[in-house]
Amino acid sequence: MAMSVGDPLEVAAIKKDFPILEREVHGGRLVYLDSANTSQKPQAVLDAMDRYYTQSNANVHRGTYLIAEEATAGLEGARAKVARFIGAKRNREVIFTKNATEALNLVAKAWGRAHLQAGDAVVLTELEHHANIVPWHQLAEEVGIELRWIPLGGDGHLDLTHLDRLVDGAKVVSFTAMSNVLGTMLPVERLTAAAHDAGAIAVVDASQHVPHVSTDVSAWGADFVAFTGHKMCGPTGIGVLWGTEAILDDTPPFITGGEMILNVTKEGFTANELPWKFEAGTPPIAEAVGLGAAVDYLSGLGMEAVREHEVSLTGYALRSLTERFGEQIQIHGPSEPAERGGVMSFTYADLHPHDLTQVFDQHGVCVRAGHHCAKVLMRQLGVAATARASLYVYNDEADVDAMADAITDAATFFGV
Amino acid sequence: MAMSVGDPLEVAAIKKDFPILEREVHGGRLVYLDSANTSQKPQAVLDAMDRYYTQSNANVHRGTYLIAEEATAGLEGARAKVARFIGAKRNREVIFTKNATEALNLVAKAWGRAHLQAGDAVVLTELEHHANIVPWHQLAEEVGIELRWIPLGGDGHLDLTHLDRLVDGAKVVSFTAMSNVLGTMLPVERLTAAAHDAGAIAVVDASQHVPHVSTDVSAWGADFVAFTGHKMCGPTGIGVLWGTEAILDDTPPFITGGEMILNVTKEGFTANELPWKFEAGTPPIAEAVGLGAAVDYLSGLGMEAVREHEVSLTGYALRSLTERFGEQIQIHGPSEPAERGGVMSFTYADLHPHDLTQVFDQHGVCVRAGHHCAKVLMRQLGVAATARASLYVYNDEADVDAMADAITDAATFFGV
Amino acid sequence: MPGLEDLYREIILDHYRSPRNRGELPAPPATRVEGFNPLCGDEIVVFVEVADGAVSDIRIGGQGCSISQSSASMMSAAVKGRTLDEVQALTRSFKAMMSIHEQSLDGEGEVVIEADPDVKLGDLEALRGVVKFPVRIKCATLSWNTLLQAIEESAASR
Amino acid sequence: MPGLEDLYREIILDHYRSPRNRGELPAPPATRVEGFNPLCGDEIVVFVEVADGAVSDIRIGGQGCSISQSSASMMSAAVKGRTLDEVQALTRSFKAMMSIHEQSLDGEGEVVIEADPDVKLGDLEALRGVVKFPVRIKCATLSWNTLLQAIEESAASR
Ligand SMILES: Cc1ncc(COP(=O)(O)O)c(C=O)c1O
Ligand SMILES: Cc1ncc(COP(=O)(O)O)c(C=O)c1O
């Protein structure tokens, strides 16, 4: 088994933290290379949720009894952990949603409906995930905003030649911090500054960034940042919207009901203060506790080490796949590992990605094939689908090699 | 310890299924009487989620690999279980949301925005939870609908004298199936029929009904039914909106993004078919698996037995509290156990509920004090707050007695 | 590699490599309908000409994996020249083989589609192995659903 | 019952049973502000009259638990006749006792409020035990926050 000398993470030990990696599939070990889709969960996260359910389960912010206080402390403690993890200035700037998609919908619909009108421009990029496109399409249908697109340039990067013209007069610039298809890291601070210079707000979809790269939302200078728990070692059912206190105060509530009100009469309602104004109904309590444990886990590894590990493993993957398969394999995105995350979209010869990954499955290699919820980008790339391998803290060179072996096998099987 | 002869549930055995009930608080056992707020979770539900995370965790509807297929089967299998549990005709009529609140917002905002306009009337009841009030207030602000209220009558029931006049010309009648404050069971079929006769749609908030009473949404004849997972032995982070296929097809998408589209271009998008049209982003996968296990658990007990147990235990509680405290205790809601669920709101002498339940906590008795997210109802009742004890499958007469002892102690402590 | 041969039978790979009835038809008179597999991005375009209650001509465009492409190719060969009733029966039999459940006519739950014992699936039998790979069932049925929609639209446009 | 005596000191129960400054003031000239505790439904109404930079009169209405009512009662007694600066200092000291964290002025995170050693809390000291019951802290501070808002509004309306 190939082991990287000097890997900043002790991957062999880390693998043991993730019980699912001990699972056998089709008689071999599980080689999980789909973390951009969803990450696996360390035992510590499962334990934290089990502890919550077996010791302190109660609804929050309501009861005067002990376990209700513990549950509330669990939820609010998780909020504080997340706030610290992303460099938020105040805990109340961290809003728990069900996923990144709800977070981006909240921005487009609650902030957007209140502040945008017919003819206003919203600038997106061709790299966006559908979660940062479709809500804006809905708003376009509803109030008649105009969508502008920062185009894809060379080597998987954006073409920023006409950035100033594109953002000129815009009200919103909303973009991903890291492409979930190409791995491209976007120049967040530059885009945020361009937005602000043009008088627009800057919205960052950090779903692929927060799990992999140390993130400081305050340093970014963004107005809103969205991300999702299940891609960062946390459970399903929880996402985060961060916003500056100023912009959150200036955003009407989105989903409404219990827990988000100060008062309700037959005539109307008064909203509660941040963050609860945006958290109607019973929040994802166990999921917040799990996300807090995930943040602890990642902080324990150190986000600098996580990033270093991924850069080095991505470098290994790009090199070894290219050496082994030459012209047959086409890997999209930046060629320089330091300019990208560990997400590699590729096609092999004229094999359809679906057929390729079907063979992978027989090797226990989990890789996703499809459009990766980025059909606008796929059209720009001129492909209908790619296979996408994505790396995380528990992956090593042996995993990359296992996929390479599976590629060879697929080529033999289909005779290409 | 008082034990009911002939209880349709074996509560002593059931208590063992819920690990949290073994916990000690303040040196005594935990007496959990706040299930209308959130229920405890049986080990089987925690095991199902752990099994999912340690064996099959993957994103759904996407991967060609084995664990992704297992995860998809887990999610869709849970949908089928829920559909069967509530008498839905088709699995695709079951939409997973994050909680009941999101489900009711989806109705008010996605269906409501598309079908209601200024001057249209929406009929609610004075018994509603804020989740079935505030979204309609928002819609009223936005498009100018009129809200009408079916008033509270005697003995905790609705006053239906002027029902015909109230629903006349209305577009929506939206009501709770069981009051979360008084326990009142509403005449769902009668209200649904009145709605339909008036040409309105019928929306049922079944958050307190589905966990406690066998529910058949098709027999109800409703158009939409909302409920929440965490009150029915399931995890936090998941709720359900059921709707007839016809009305769901006639409802535009609410939250949008990945997973809910057929196609996305720079110009627009096409929505996917049911149920996915309403499930944007990564769904609460582990939570759905947990909810499926909760449904299995409740089905194993038998919903008829659950209901019988609660009627008999509620009867015991109403009798024994009245016998013991006479005029000092005021219990709101229907006096007849068969007309109500196991939810008892009460006040004791002039003790503030908050002070009462603070003393309860010292006895390990978990009871909520407050307005229970029903401020409109509280105003009708002429109180600012009540203490609310609520029963479930794991409660027995000893639990009720423990609360009664705590009341006595509070009376002594405060000298009333 | 056990299992894969069940999915990728030789005849499937043959249709994938040499698809039948590939191309376009002028629409109108033909009807053109696009189908999407939202999960993987496969897009299929069916051009169909209906005359005298039968599929007089058909062409297939778009792109997809070997399963969706070969299924479309075999379908095109199987339905060309058939009456609409025959096409319906064939579709039912094909979906029955794919173990697709559909809602029953009285709305009481979902039922398993029964195959018509008189309908011969021929080459299409090769796709039976797809059932063991649930995610791929949508690949196999994409062209069929698109064809049904095209036939409906052609009826509606007359 | 260990613990409860920490919360419900005799002086608290005394203020609860015989609240000081209970009632209303004509507004205007007084300022009237309602405060809600969204968690339990407690509602407090503060009527305050400010003259010459001091709280010249105050009345408390509304309903709530023993903690919120006694805190309001003690507060009313403590602030009546005091200058606005003294009220600010007293509020700070009270919140410090309640271990309330507030955002620092430069926006860099949240900081613990420091009590002013010169400020005497007097009877209000009896509320110190509330800190051990986190849910009840909002009960104790409700009237104080409502008072601050009333003072602000009275300044704004001049
Ligand atoms: C009647 C009723 N409706 C709606 C809700 C809201 O449920 P959730 O908080 O899970 O959204 C509740 C519970 O709080 C309830 O009791
Ligand atoms: C860049 C990006 N944005 C948004 C999302 C949506 O996240 P979720 O599905 O958790 O809402 C994803 C993941 O699917 C993503 O990769």
Side-chain angles (χ1 to χ4, degrees), chain D residues 8-21:
Chain D
Y8 296 112
R9 310 277 283 278
E10 193 44 44
I11 191 156
I12 293 180
L13 296 178
D14 172 55
H15 274 270
Y16 179 44
R17 293 194 191 110
S18 326
R20 324 293 196 261
N21 300 302

Side-chain angles (χ1 to χ4, degrees), chain B residues 314-400:
Chain B
T314 304
Y316 174 80
L318 295 176
R319 268 194 323 275
S320 68
L321 292 172
T322 311
E323 275 167 23
R324 195 156 157 181
F325 302 111
E327 302 271 281
Q328 292 286 63
I329 196 163
Q330 192 196 356
I331 307 178
H332 298 278
S335 39
E336 188 49 61
E339 293 171 2
R340 61 183 296 156
V343 181
M344 283 157 289
S345 272
F346 62 93
T347 48
Y348 183 87
D350 62 349
L351 273 185
H352 191 280
H354 233 151
D355 293 320
L356 191 63
T357 58
Q358 189 77 58
V359 177
F360 286 9
D361 177 48
Q362 298 289 319
H363 290 255
V365 174
C366 306
V367 164
R368 183 180 174 193
H371 54 64
H372 317 295
C373 297
K375 289 196 89 167
V376 168
L377 174 60
M378 299 312 269
R379 189 150 305 201
Q380 292 316 116
L381 294 174
V383 295
T386 65
R388 182 189 67 180
S390 50
L391 309 168
Y392 208 15
V393 294
Y394 34 70
N395 291 122
D396 56 16
E397 298 183 356
D399 294 337
V400 173

Side-chain angles (χ1 to χ4, degrees), chain A residues 352 355 358 362 371 409 414, chain C residues 1-2 8 38 66 133 136:
Chain A
H352 189 280
D355 293 320
Q358 189 77 58
Q362 298 289 317
H371 55 64
D409 198 16
F414 288 105
Chain C
M1 216 178 309
Y8 296 112
S66 58
F133 299 80
R136 308 304 292 274

